[in-house]
Amino acid sequence: VKSFAAPPVMVAHSFGGLVAELYVSQPRAPLAGVALVASVPPSGNADIIRRITKRSIWDSARITWGFITKSFLKNSADTRFLFFSPQLGEAELLKYQRYLQDNASPVALLDVRNLNAELPIAAPMSATYNAKAFVGGGAADCVVDVPAVEELARHFHVQPSIWPSLAHDVMLDADSDVAAADLDAWLRAL
């Protein structure tokens, strides 16, 4: 990042948001901005899991099973449930599922138990952090729910963009143009 001609914008999604949050919580090379889309908040996903379990034990079990077994690679209903809204066409869903099949890592990339020991992530260091922040998420997201998006927005002292019809993969979902327009407007305002 230090070698770039100008400070870049970091865009992160899902658990990648925790990486971005950690980056801006410590003195590092400057960023022009950080955009966090359907990103896990600095407290991690434990509160999300509790809320989902309280709402529906079946949904909680299905989400856990889907990620542990990667059932979304074989079962298009699980792919839709975890990542996409009902509005996404079947052909598009199957296209994205094939992409997941072709690109899924054979090993676990995230050890949530070890991660939870490092949480919560500290707020951005006010003396060194001057980048603008964007936070958005889908109201139909069963992985990172609206309260998690709102927590993240509070962490960065911004108002979140909540897209009513979008699920977890907001930039690929049926109404992704809404999320893309919000992110584009934020980027142009930097």
Side-chain angles (χ1 to χ4, degrees):
V1 173
K2 290 178 183 176
S3 65
F4 293 164
V9 173
M10 183 182 291
V11 179
H13 174 258
S14 198
F15 271 103
L18 286 173
V19 174
E21 293 161 42
L22 182 60
Y23 185 93
V24 301
S25 74
Q26 301 171 3
R28 302 203 190 265
L31 296 173
V34 60
L36 302 156
V37 181
S39 292
V40 175
S43 63
N45 70 337
D47 288 341
I48 299 169
I49 293 166
R50 278 191 280 281
R51 284 189 297 269
I52 293 169
T53 302
K54 187 176 180 181
R55 185 187 73 229
S56 168
I57 191 75
W58 168 247
D59 285 354
S60 180
R62 191 171 176 196
I63 292 165
T64 302
W65 178 258
F67 281 108
I68 289 173
T69 67
K70 297 184 181 178
S71 65
F72 56 86
L73 296 175
K74 300 177 196 96
N75 182 326
S76 64
D78 287 351
T79 308
R80 182 178 303 282
F81 175 74
L82 292 170
F83 304 121
F84 299 103
S85 68
Q87 292 79 22
L88 185 71
E90 190 69 18
E92 287 290 299
L93 176 71
L94 294 174
K95 178 179 89 173
Y96 294 136
Q97 184 185 35
R98 279 190 301 279
Y99 182 81
L100 287 166
Q101 291 165 345
D102 293 344
N103 294 283
S105 172
V107 297
L109 299 176
L110 181 66
D111 184 335
V112 176
R113 259 182 278 156
N114 284 342
L115 171 70
N116 285 331
E118 303 295 323
L119 299 175
I121 293 174
M125 296 183 70
S126 58
T128 59
Y129 180 78
N130 60 1
K132 305 256 190 262
F134 174 89
V135 175
D141 189 343
C142 72
V143 178
V144 177
D145 62 3
V146 170
V149 175
E150 293 169 339
E151 174 192 336
L152 183 55
R154 285 190 304 276
H155 185 75
F156 283 95
H157 307 287
V158 298
Q159 288 295 324
S161 291
I162 304 294
W163 305 297
S165 63
L166 295 179
H168 192 62
D169 281 353
V170 297
M171 298 312 259
L172 300 175
D173 212 345
D175 293 327
S176 62
D177 55 329
V178 175
D182 283 356
L183 184 55
D184 183 60
W186 175 79
L187 287 166
R188 291 178 187 276
L190 289 178

